[in-house]
Amino acid sequence: MRPNVTEHPVRLAKVRAVTPQVGTKLRSDARDNRDRILVVARVAFAADGLDVPIREIARRAEVGVATVYRHFGTKEELLTEAFAQQVQMCSAIAEEGLAAEDPWQGFSHVIEKVFEMHALDRGFARAFTSQLPRTEGFAAERDRSLKTLLELIRRAKKAGSLREDLVLEDVALALMANEGIRAESPQLRVAASRRFAALILQSFQASPTATPLPPAVRLPLSR
């Protein structure tokens, strides 16, 4: 007859000693999988936009599709986690602009930095302008950035440096256009974005000044 483990204190101690170690290893493996999925998702969304399917994310992360959904119940949850740092950076950039002594310099700083960030990450650029994902945390952080930008616009208008008829939708339109930049490398996208930002800022000024633009970038349309 097989003895009951509870009748043998030494055996019971061994079982208790082994069980937490196994559980810890499983938790560690799961954490590694989650981290790898996030890294792969960030790279994929940045390069290819929001349409990268979960199956492709799983393939690149070398896990099963079920593993992805075990950590992120929906694609929207994955997007929220993948873009958490970027949306916080947008808020920080807006706060930096608002803290500037000269409202026009602060506004210019926000436009230049956000354009550059969006040029480097196509997925986040689309998420920011299309109000995706709709999760509470992402939406709240995005709204905080926009409210800060609205206050900066108000101050720049009051200072006489920003044209009076400019509205937030004009900035959104510029962001959408910046998102559409296509170039052969991230570095060229950033260079093209800097020139575009300079053009946009001149058009937003109350009294535009003809300042030299950053160098032009050869884009596919010009070939």
Side-chain angles (χ1 to χ4, degrees), residues 1-8 11:
M1 181 177 177
R2 186 176 180 179
N4 190 321
V5 71
T6 58
E7 297 174 359
H8 299 268
R11 291 183 184 178

Side-chain angles (χ1 to χ4, degrees), residues 34-49 52 57 60 72 78-86 120-124:
R34 187 180 190 279
D35 291 345
R36 187 163 65 254
I37 291 166
L38 270 177
V39 169
V40 167
R42 287 179 182 127
V43 172
F45 293 143
D48 303 320
V52 181
I57 299 292
R60 297 184 192 182
F72 307 96
L78 178 57
L79 290 171
T80 299
E81 289 286 338
F83 296 144
Q85 184 176 2
Q86 290 96 319
L120 285 170
D121 194 325
R122 291 176 58 193
F124 178 66

Side-chain angles (χ1 to χ4, degrees), residues 115 169-179 196 200 204:
F115 272 37
E169 285 73 15
D170 296 321
V171 178
L173 184 63
L175 286 171
M176 291 175 185
N178 183 70
E179 177 199 329
F196 182 54
I200 288 295
F204 285 172

Side-chain angles (χ1 to χ4, degrees), residues 66-218:
T67 300
V68 177
Y69 281 116
R70 188 157 53 245
H71 292 287
F72 307 96
T74 64
K75 187 174 182 179
E76 195 162 43
E77 287 183 21
L78 178 57
L79 290 171
T80 299
E81 289 286 338
F83 296 144
Q85 184 176 2
Q86 290 96 319
V87 75
Q88 290 170 5
M89 285 177 63
C90 277
S91 292
I93 290 169
E95 292 291 345
E96 289 171 2
L98 193 61
E101 185 175 348
D102 181 345
W104 172 253
Q105 292 300 321
F107 180 77
S108 300
H109 171 79
V110 173
I111 294 296
E112 290 166 354
K113 292 299 181 182
V114 172
F115 272 37
E116 181 175 342
M117 179 190 294
H118 284 200
L120 285 170
D121 194 325
R122 291 176 58 193
F124 178 66
R126 175 59 58 87
F128 194 88
T129 57
S130 62
Q131 300 186 34
L132 290 172
R134 296 183 178 87
T135 53
E136 184 177 348
F138 185 92
E141 196 69 39
R142 179 182 177 277
D143 289 347
R144 188 163 77 91
S145 300
L146 295 178
K147 287 177 182 177
T148 305
L149 180 57
L150 273 172
E151 175 60 18
L152 185 53
I153 288 173
R154 186 192 67 79
R155 292 186 187 182
K157 285 183 179 180
K158 186 177 180 180
S161 51
L162 193 63
R163 55 188 303 159
E164 281 293 332
D165 58 352
L166 184 130
V167 293
L168 185 61
E169 285 73 15
D170 296 321
V171 178
L173 184 63
L175 286 171
M176 291 175 185
N178 183 70
E179 177 199 329
I181 293 175
R182 298 292 180 267
E184 293 180 352
S185 69
Q187 293 77 15
L188 289 176
R189 282 203 307 273
V190 168
S193 179
R194 286 174 181 158
R195 184 177 176 90
F196 182 54
L199 285 166
I200 288 295
L201 285 170
Q202 287 190 26
S203 72
F204 285 172
Q205 272 187 303
S207 301
T209 54
T211 55
L213 297 173
V217 175
R218 184 179 293 275

Side-chain angles (χ1 to χ4, degrees), residues 9 62 174 221:
E62 299 181 344
L221 185 64

